[in-house]
Amino acid sequence: MEVTQSYARPSHAGIDDSGALRMGLTAEASRPGVQLTAQIKDSRSYARVMLALYNVVSSDLRSKNKDHSGYQKWVEERYLEELDATLGAKLRALPGLKEKQGRLKERLKHLSREIRPLEQTIQSKDFYNKRYEYFQWLRKHDMDAWWVLDPVVSVHEDCVVFEVFSLDESSYGRVTVPWEKLEVLGDVRYGTTNVDYSSALADEMRRIRSYRPAFLSVAAEGVSIATGAGERVEKKIDLPPTWVRGFLQVQSAAVYPALEVPFSPETLSEVLAALQREREKTGPRSLRFQLTPGECPTITIEPWGTVIKERVHTYTGDSATEIRLWGRRRLLAFADLLPHADSVTARFLGTGMPSYWSITLDGHRFDIGVSGWTKNDWSSAARFDVLAATGQASDGDIAKASQELEKRLKLVPSDIADLSTETATAALQKLCATGMAMYDLADSCYRWRQLLPFPTPVSDEDQRSRLAGRIVQTGGVSFLKDTDEDEAFSTLTARTDDTTFRFRAWVRGGETRREAKFAVTLDLDNDGRVRFASCTCSFFKREKLRKGPCAHILAAVGLASQQLLGAKAAKKADTSSADAFDFTDKTFVFTGALTKFTREQAEGIVVQRGGKASGSVSKNTHYLVAGDKAGSKLAKAQELKIPVMTEDEFLALLGGSIA
């Protein structure tokens, strides 16, 4: 996907005649107008969190091959000293032959480069080629920007948010500047844009002092203004689709249940100082968090066994647990913040799972989300977007959610009129998937945030998702009734809490009926989010959710919205009427154009209440619900003298409402 990023001039900073430091963040010119000029309060803290953000965006902790050429040359010299003159002469000629070989290899590379465009005309480029070409282009044309993908800045009514990814895409960084920390000067235009954030600007950030006023300006300036300050900067890039997918996974994982643990800045300073002093040569390379209710957490640094105990905060969870975190050196990005931090809070999703860290300084907030381990970057991490919303949303629902969110800039699913909470949540998640919205963990709400000026195409599904789709299409998912007993589910823990609905299903391992079946359990909340998931397959037993849900959980999640609608309707009927219609063992068929509800919704409710849903009319059918333009099924039902209902009559059985 080729994207052109255009800037009137590079971002800049400097001290004016009054001694104030003015920072101009040049916005991407093709975006809708975003404008903000403000004096920053507690500017030194602002500079610190922005420098931590730069640490994230410029970091790459992927393992690199070490250069052993010097050692190998020394070994070769010692070897030559031990040989006779004849053989030694031949070996001394070897470097010249290797040099010739190197020249031939370079020639071969040159010819390969000429051939490659011809090959690319008959076969598509994969992502890795695109990413390689992009960074090679950027390194040649703008060395400073080569280290970063331009940060995203969003100006909202209550805060300004900066977001970035690290080079290895395993760390997500965010800075939130609340509105009360800005003294706004002039007009403000809300919206989202990219900003040019170079190493030179980071150097100027280091010059900020508490006694020196600091001003922030975000604006897309015209070319005429830029002529005196610098030339227009254009970057035409092949934007990796993983960039948008990474944002989606970060915010989707944020809504998954997690353990929230406060730490004192001094404790984490000790941990990070130990990591800076030592360099591990053997495994394991993890941080081990021991959490016991009513006691202060302890952190063990492996492989050295160094134990550091929290001195201030106690763990308030219900049960003792242990969390292990890998890729720990990514936390060094905020090491310089800790001596000045007011508070530090960690959110753990589980061992080997993503974690979130929040640090506040004088009201400014820095957040970093790290994937389960460094090589498991956010773009290839768990499919948390699937677990974040199980509901179904039509194109009309998505359009309505988009209009409402763009108008309000910030909302929760219940704010969208005429949509149920699970449908609204599903619609908002679709907007997140196309880069048009974000979920804000700090405020537990959705915000309007366009990563690009246009919706981004949703990336192709992975292999597990495709298998899950085939399992659903071939009828491989069978949900159990609440009254059904099965030993396969007897060892499970209780529901997440009283506000969730538990569903149990047998899911086939593949497309054919001879495949083994696995027991899947899901807990869904009122918004259709998965709060707990488990499966008896070997993949889940080995990986849990560290590498994403297995195909069987994905298949069950795909049908879970129908079950949730049925469970809600059944719960409402139980509390509203003792004389509710008994669906037990009754077979319903739905036909025609249904306008009051979807066929999937109605079938889910029938099954949840103990009935059966069929796609064809037979002598075993008890009721046919017919919408507009009902055809052959209606004729056959009349022939067999099967009772026929309208949509309103079916709704009357449910107490007047589908939800």
Side-chain angles (χ1 to χ4, degrees), residues 306-621:
T306 305
V307 178
I308 297 174
K309 189 176 181 66
E310 167 65 27
R311 301 179 183 86
V312 179
H313 302 283
T314 58
Y315 176 58
T316 58
D318 297 328
S319 59
T321 188
E322 178 183 278
I323 302 291
R324 295 183 71 186
L325 173 67
W326 282 271
R328 57 201 180 179
R329 292 191 178 273
R330 292 173 290 176
L331 303 183
L332 292 171
F334 60 75
D336 292 340
L337 298 182
L338 295 175
H340 315 280
D342 299 322
S343 65
V344 180
T345 304
R347 294 184 77 251
F348 300 113
L349 272 65
T351 291
M353 297 277 281
S355 62
Y356 295 83
W357 300 78
S358 300
I359 299 97
T360 58
L361 286 78
D362 296 322
H364 300 285
R365 174 171 170 149
F366 173 80
D367 293 274
I368 182 171
V370 295
S371 59
W373 57 96
T374 306
K375 288 186 178 180
N376 188 33
D377 58 69
W378 276 110
S379 62
S380 61
R383 289 293 307 273
F384 287 104
D385 57 310
V386 177
L387 304 181
T390 60
Q392 303 296 319
S394 65
D395 291 342
D397 296 333
I398 297 171
K400 184 176 182 61
S402 177
Q403 292 171 1
E404 194 70 20
L405 185 57
E406 186 175 10
K407 180 176 69 175
R408 295 193 182 198
L409 296 179
K410 168 186 173 182
L411 54 73
V412 295
S414 59
D415 290 335
I416 304 177
D418 303 326
L419 292 184
S420 64
T421 53
E422 63 267 20
T423 301
T425 302
L428 291 168
Q429 279 296 122
K430 291 291 185 183
L431 292 177
C432 293
T434 55
M436 305 299 285
M438 66 174 288
Y439 179 78
D440 188 345
L441 172 63
D443 287 343
S444 300
C445 67
Y446 287 89
R447 293 183 183 273
W448 180 254
R449 190 263 272 124
Q450 292 179 279
L451 288 177
L452 295 170
F454 48 84
T456 308
V458 179
S459 59
D460 294 335
E461 295 179 332
D462 56 28
Q463 184 176 355
R464 268 176 278 161
S465 297
R466 290 193 291 270
L467 174 58
R470 294 196 296 270
I471 292 173
V472 171
Q473 291 170 5
T474 55
V477 181
S478 177
F479 281 91
L480 277 68
K481 300 176 184 177
D482 290 341
T483 55
D484 292 343
E485 298 290 339
D486 198 307
E487 292 184 1
F489 300 90
S490 60
T491 59
L492 291 171
T493 59
R495 280 186 300 155
T496 308
D497 55 54
D498 293 336
T499 64
T500 59
F501 297 86
R502 170 153 291 186
F503 303 103
R504 301 167 299 158
W506 283 107
V507 181
R508 222 173 32 228
E511 302 170 59
T512 64
R513 296 184 181 276
R514 287 179 289 183
E515 296 277 359
K517 292 184 177 181
F518 301 100
V520 172
T521 303
L522 301 173
D523 284 358
L524 270 62
D525 64 14
N526 282 309
D527 292 340
R529 296 190 179 109
V530 176
R531 315 304 289 176
F532 171 81
S534 73
C535 181
T536 56
C537 71
S538 59
F539 179 87
F540 183 85
K541 289 179 179 178
R542 182 177 66 253
E543 302 292 349
K544 302 301 181 186
L545 292 175
R546 288 187 286 270
K547 292 186 178 180
C550 63
H552 318 110
I553 290 178
L554 291 175
V557 165
L559 298 176
S561 61
Q562 301 173 19
Q563 301 296 316
L564 181 62
L565 285 168
K568 284 185 174 182
K571 185 176 181 180
K572 182 177 180 180
D574 290 342
T575 57
S576 62
S577 174
D579 300 323
F581 180 82
D582 185 8
F583 282 80
T584 305
D585 295 329
K586 302 290 194 306
T587 300
F588 282 75
V589 175
F590 297 86
T591 188
L594 303 175
T595 59
K596 303 293 180 67
F597 44 78
T598 67
R599 182 173 284 102
E600 290 78 12
Q601 287 175 329
E603 290 176 348
I605 289 174
V606 169
V607 173
Q608 188 65 33
R609 293 195 176 193
K612 300 176 183 178
S614 176
S616 59
V617 176
S618 69
K619 62 181 181 180
N620 296 322
T621 302

Side-chain angles (χ1 to χ4, degrees), residues 271-299:
V271 173
L272 298 184
L275 291 176
Q276 289 173 318
R277 286 194 306 268
E278 303 284 349
R279 195 72 189 181
E280 57 278 276
K281 296 181 180 179
T282 60
R285 296 176 172 89
S286 70
L287 293 178
R288 188 189 298 269
F289 296 83
Q290 294 284 353
L291 306 175
T292 304
E295 297 182 10
C296 292
T298 59
I299 306 172

Side-chain angles (χ1 to χ4, degrees), residues 98-393:
K98 286 185 175 180
E99 184 180 350
K100 183 178 180 181
Q101 183 186 40
R103 290 196 300 270
L104 292 174
K105 285 184 177 180
E106 287 299 318
R107 175 61 178 162
L108 185 60
K109 287 181 181 179
H110 178 72
L111 294 174
S112 297
R113 283 194 293 268
E114 293 181 353
I115 294 172
R116 190 175 298 121
L118 299 176
E119 293 176 338
Q120 291 172 347
T121 59
I122 58 174
Q123 61 183 8
S124 61
K125 301 178 185 177
D126 59 24
F127 159 66
Y128 296 102
N129 284 337
K130 290 182 178 180
R131 185 165 65 178
Y132 173 79
E133 291 169 6
Y134 161 55
F135 281 114
Q136 289 298 105
W137 182 94
L138 200 58
R139 182 177 185 178
K140 180 179 178 181
H141 290 81
D142 189 346
M143 192 62 181
D144 282 337
W146 179 66
W147 292 101
V148 301
L149 273 171
D150 292 338
V152 174
V153 59
S154 300
V155 179
H156 296 283
E157 291 179 313
D158 56 343
C159 63
V160 178
V161 176
F162 297 84
E163 299 174 275
V164 299
F165 270 107
S166 60
L167 280 177
D168 55 23
E169 296 184 1
S170 71
S171 300
Y172 161 82
R174 167 178 162 162
V175 166
T176 305
V177 181
W179 212 244
E180 56 267 23
K181 291 296 175 181
L182 297 172
E183 186 176 329
V184 179
L185 308 173
D187 296 333
V188 177
R189 285 201 293 267
Y190 304 114
T192 299
T193 187
N194 296 91
V195 294
D196 178 40
Y197 188 6
S198 64
S199 60
L201 185 63
D203 290 338
E204 291 297 334
M205 290 280 186
R206 297 184 178 94
R207 299 176 61 189
I208 291 180
R209 297 293 182 269
S210 57
Y211 57 81
R212 180 183 295 153
F215 294 84
L216 170 66
S217 175
V218 180
E221 300 179 53
V223 179
S224 59
I225 300 176
T227 54
E231 61 183 271
R232 191 177 190 86
V233 179
E234 281 198 0
K235 303 175 185 178
K236 184 172 290 185
I237 63 174
D238 284 330
L239 184 67
T242 56
W243 197 57
V244 177
R245 178 176 164 82
F247 275 109
L248 173 63
Q249 299 307 321
V250 166
Q251 58 207 20
S252 297
V255 304
Y256 199 74
L259 296 176
E260 191 164 300
V261 184
F263 290 97
S264 60
E266 294 79 10
T267 299
L268 285 183
S269 291
E270 286 187 55
V271 173
L272 298 184
L275 291 176
Q276 289 173 318
R277 286 194 306 268
E278 303 284 349
R279 195 72 189 181
E280 57 278 276
K281 296 181 180 179
T282 60
R285 296 176 172 89
S286 70
L287 293 178
R288 188 189 298 269
F289 296 83
Q290 294 284 353
L291 306 175
T292 304
E295 297 182 10
C296 292
T298 59
I299 306 172
T300 302
I301 308 175
E302 298 178 316
W304 311 297
T306 305
V307 178
I308 297 174
K309 189 176 181 66
E310 167 65 27
R311 301 179 183 86
V312 179
H313 302 283
T314 58
Y315 176 58
T316 58
D318 297 328
S319 59
T321 188
E322 178 183 278
I323 302 291
R324 295 183 71 186
L325 173 67
W326 282 271
R328 57 201 180 179
R329 292 191 178 273
R330 292 173 290 176
L331 303 183
L332 292 171
F334 60 75
D336 292 340
L337 298 182
L338 295 175
H340 315 280
D342 299 322
S343 65
V344 180
T345 304
R347 294 184 77 251
F348 300 113
L349 272 65
T351 291
M353 297 277 281
S355 62
Y356 295 83
W357 300 78
S358 300
I359 299 97
T360 58
L361 286 78
D362 296 322
H364 300 285
R365 174 171 170 149
F366 173 80
D367 293 274
I368 182 171
V370 295
S371 59
W373 57 96
T374 306
K375 288 186 178 180
N376 188 33
D377 58 69
W378 276 110
S379 62
S380 61
R383 289 293 307 273
F384 287 104
D385 57 310
V386 177
L387 304 181
T390 60
Q392 303 296 319

